[in-house]
Amino acid sequence: MIPLLEIHGWEELKHFSQKQRELILKISGFSETAWGSRGVELGTDLPQGLWAASIQQALDEFGSHPHILQKFHKGRLIAHPYRDRAGEMRTMQGRVRLCPYILSSTARPTCAARLQRSAPPTRSCCTE
């Protein structure tokens, strides 16, 4: 039994309704599609057929490129200051996406930088 989903295997995920698909499917490990938002599928954004195909691809590639499944948590709205093109300070309501950049050139990986991106509430912060 897969905890919280009450299913016995990933095959059952293919038949989830859009509401049940508040899930993120993403490739894990060392792959050209395993960074940024590449290789990330938000279940509620996909039509049923594409969701089922993504699950099947994850199952087919498991031996060479394992995938992980996470519950999707929508970011909360915040008031975020920004400068408009005229240089005036403005405030927008939006969701923030934080991206740490981890460098592992030494024995101890360190967070070298952070990128913060804001998006209006009508736009997903998950995609580039």
Side-chain angles (χ1 to χ4, degrees):
M1 180 72 71
I2 298 175
L4 304 176
L5 297 177
E6 304 302 319
I7 59 174
H8 296 283
W10 279 42
E11 286 283 340
E12 294 177 57
L13 289 167
K14 294 179 187 179
H15 308 290
F16 272 24
S17 69
Q18 185 174 21
K19 187 172 183 174
Q20 290 175 297
R21 293 193 313 261
E22 289 185 353
L23 301 166
I24 296 283
L25 175 66
K26 63 183 178 178
I27 196 164
S28 175
F30 298 100
S31 165
E32 65 278 358
T33 61
W35 61 277
S37 63
R38 292 166 182 81
V40 175
E41 303 289 356
L42 175 55
T44 55
D45 282 357
L46 296 176
Q48 181 69 41
L50 272 169
W51 172 252
S54 295
I55 295 295
Q56 187 59 54
Q57 181 178 358
L59 291 169
D60 292 345
E61 294 178 354
F62 185 77
S64 58
H65 296 99
H67 287 64
I68 60 173
L69 192 66
Q70 297 175 316
K71 178 137 179 68
F72 176 71
H73 295 278
K74 194 174 214 174
R76 70 182 168 107
L77 288 174
I78 62 163
H80 184 72
Y82 72 98
R83 288 193 189 275
D84 66 13
R85 292 192 173 152
E88 298 291 321
M89 288 302 295
R90 304 276 186 218
T91 302
M92 77 173 221
Q93 291 290 319
R95 300 186 199 287
V96 175
R97 174 182 174 209
L98 298 174
C99 304
Y101 286 86
I102 309 295
L103 298 180
S104 59
S105 59
T106 64
R108 183 176 175 175
T110 57
C111 183
R114 290 171 199 86
L115 170 67
Q116 174 183 317
R117 295 177 65 185
S118 299
T122 55
R123 194 162 162 245
S124 172
C125 268
C126 266
T127 57
E128 291 295 317

